[in-house]
Every structure is written in C-alpha cells, then in structure tokens.
Amino acid sequence: MPNVPWLLDVLRGAGVSVVTEGDWVNRYRPGSFDPIGVLWHHTAATSSASNPHPALNVCINGRPDLTGPLCQALVDYNGVFHLISAGRANHAGASRGSGPIPAGDGNTLMIGWEIDYNGVNQEMTAAQYNASIAATAAVLTRLGRNSSYARGHRETSTTGKIDPSFIDLDVMRADVAAKMSGGGGTWSSIVDNTTAGRFTASANWGTSSYSTQRYGSDYRFADPVAASDPAWFKFAVPTAGSYRVDVWYAANAGYNTAAPYIVATSNGNQTVNVDQRTGGGAWRSIGTFSLPAGDANRVAVSRWTSGTGLVIADAVRLTRL
C-alpha cells in the first residue's frame, strides 16, 4: 500500500512546483515502505532547458535490469518535481548505513529524489538544488526527523555509487536545517573545467587526467608565464552579497608554488596565491568575498606568477553566506 500519498500536499505547501505523473499514488513496488529519511540521487542523463527531464520515462517504467518506479520523484532541469510513486520504489538498494540511517533495505527506509543531470560534466542547476532543499526540509518535517536524515546515495550505497555528484552533502544538510528552521537555505554552485559554457581557457592550457586527486574526469594545466592568460570560471550569482570561494585542484610536487586565483569582486579583482604542491584533492577555501549579482566570469586561475611549476585549473565552488 502507498505510504506517502501526502507528498503532493507537503511539496506544494513548501512552495515546490509539482507535476503528477499518471496514477502516481498507486504506482509502487511490492514490499514494506516505512521511510525515515530522504535520499538524493542524480540520473546520469543530460538535461537542458529544451529537454528538462530526459530520464523521466526510465524513472517511471524502469530499465531492463531494474523494474520501475525508480524513485518517488524526479527533479527536472527547472526544479519541477515530477511525482512518480507514493510507495516503495527501486532507488536505493541495500543501505550500508549513514548517519542516523541504519544498514538495511534502503528502499524501505528512504524517499528518493532523482535529480536529472548527468553528474560527469554537468552539475545540478540552482533551481534543482533549491527545490530539492525545500522539498527535503518539508518531507523531513512531515516525518518528524531532522536534517541529518537527508543523505546522498554515495553515502549509503554498498556498490560504490557516486551520486549525487558535484555537491557537498554536509552543506546540503546545513541548508536543509536552515530551511527547516525558517531560513531561506544557502545557494551553492560548482563549476568544473568541463562544465559546459562555464569554463574558458586558451589553447595554451593543456588537459590531463594524470592525478587521481582531480575533480571530475580531468583538469587543465599550463606553464607559468609573465603574461595575462587566465582560465575563467563563470557563475550566475543570484544576489549581491558575501560568498565563500572554495577551490579544488590536484596537488603534486611539480605543480605551482604560488598559483594566483583571481576573484572578480564588487570592489575589483582580488588575488589569492595557493601552493598547489599540497592540499589537493579536496575543497580549500581561499576566503570570503563581496560579489555582485549576475552571470559573469567570477574566478580565474592565472599563469602570471613568480612561482615555479605547472599551474592547475580544476574546479571552483561559490557558497552564499
């Protein structure tokens, strides 16, 4: 029997845009369903403004190797929730346990959002993130649970799943907690060197997948030179305000001793030098900056440095404070 027919009303009550897909209330898999948490996934399909939910049919009907439905809701490119099932769905498999979610049958324990983006060279849109935060906060409130019951599939999977990619799950839980306490949540966005339309660099920047510390499939590199030839990361900053800038790079003894990161702030460019020989393979904060609203090149890695070694450009994350 379906256990969450209230999902439609709860999501709409949270201000989330919702579409119901057919007889979603009576579409479910046999077996127990007593959810205590919410699990985030990505579909591995490439969505766009012109094709906002390419994985919808698969999430409803399943794949040759896995019977549908494959989630309770799919979140499309525009942040619209497509309700697929009010009962048990094949989205989580076995859970190894994460935070307060115990080991066991993940399909019984968690409600699943499939966020429609590919997770390789595409991150979730701001609309998807914000809608998923609002929906997760509303559902956990309905379940009587706190934000620690929001998890990512990579945290519970027993088979090495990586979803949802390009998202800090601790930041996600903090944003859910803020939403549950009446706040607006926190906007965060990541641009990788492979993010379509968001990264630009001249032909002087090579491409490498040498280091396992890379973010995504590869990263860019260039020799230092006394000339302006930056690699730029473009962000659609939603509102003017204070933002933390985090950078990700692969570290190596042969990489630059003082790689210049340029942040285009509300008060002009500011430069922070980073020793890329150490501290790689993780997000590293280079500071908090006042940024204007708008879609523009916001952070660069410059080749113009007195440091020695290859300059690396990999990924940048902005988080509104």
Side-chain angles (χ1 to χ4, degrees):
M1 294 293 291
N3 282 32
V4 292
W6 44 260
L7 197 53
L8 176 61
D9 291 338
V10 165
L11 295 185
R12 284 181 173 167
V16 176
S17 297
V18 183
V19 173
T20 57
E21 298 295 338
D23 189 12
W24 72 280
V25 171
N26 294 308
R27 183 188 294 123
Y28 53 90
R29 300 303 306 152
S32 61
F33 182 50
D34 188 18
I36 60 173
V38 175
L39 193 65
W40 287 31
H41 306 260
H42 71 244
T43 63
T46 300
S47 60
S48 65
S50 60
N51 187 18
H53 45 71
L56 180 59
N57 184 64
V58 170
C59 286
I60 293 172
N61 298 306
R63 314 185 302 257
D65 63 322
L66 190 62
T67 304
L70 302 186
C71 57
Q72 276 68 43
L74 175 138
V75 188
D76 75 17
Y77 182 88
N78 300 309
V80 176
F81 268 65
H82 295 254
L83 290 186
I84 290 170
S85 175
R88 180 184 174 91
N90 285 331
H91 71 97
S95 171
R96 61 183 170 89
S98 176
I101 305 295
D105 185 346
N107 295 329
T108 294
L109 293 166
M110 290 171 283
I111 293 169
W113 311 146
E114 281 285 357
I115 304 170
D116 215 353
Y117 69 105
N118 70 35
V120 176
N121 58 10
Q122 181 187 35
E123 62 175 305
M124 69 178 72
T125 65
Q128 287 175 320
Y129 183 79
N130 292 335
S132 297
I133 290 292
T136 301
V139 167
L140 291 177
T141 298
R142 178 65 170 76
L143 293 173
R145 308 287 176 169
N146 63 37
S147 63
S148 67
Y149 285 80
R151 315 307 295 184
H153 195 196
R154 67 176 184 259
E155 295 179 307
T156 66
S157 171
T158 62
T159 59
K161 298 292 187 180
I162 64 168
D163 57 316
S165 289
F166 305 144
I167 177 175
D168 185 318
L169 293 168
D170 290 328
V171 171
M172 178 269 280
R173 281 184 281 272
D175 289 347
V176 170
K179 196 73 172 176
M180 293 177 76
S181 65
T186 299
W187 176 88
S188 185
S189 183
I190 297 170
V191 175
D192 181 36
N193 67 284
T194 60
T195 303
R198 294 282 154 189
F199 177 85
T200 54
S202 75
N204 296 318
W205 290 82
T207 302
S208 176
S209 58
Y210 169 75
S211 175
T212 58
Q213 292 185 352
R214 63 186 181 271
Y215 188 96
S217 58
D218 55 40
Y219 54 97
R220 305 297 290 272
F221 67 92
D223 290 316
V225 62
S228 180
D229 186 20
W232 279 103
F233 297 80
K234 184 179 182 181
F235 289 87
V237 176
T239 59
S242 294
Y243 291 80
R244 186 181 70 244
V245 178
D246 302 319
V247 300
W248 186 298
Y249 56 89
N252 183 279
Y255 293 165
N256 203 267
T257 57
Y261 283 84
I262 303 169
V263 183
T265 77
S266 301
N267 303 309
N269 290 350
Q270 297 184 34
T271 301
V272 178
N273 293 320
V274 174
D275 185 346
Q276 293 184 327
R277 295 173 300 175
T278 62
W283 289 113
R284 176 174 174 176
S285 175
I286 62 169
T288 298
F289 303 87
S290 177
L291 302 182
D295 195 7
N297 287 333
R298 194 53 58 198
V299 180
V301 184
S302 174
R303 299 174 62 200
W304 200 332
T305 174
S306 59
T308 57
L310 293 173
V311 179
I312 304 302
D314 196 350
V316 175
R317 180 176 69 190
L318 300 188
T319 301
R320 185 171 56 199
L321 302 179

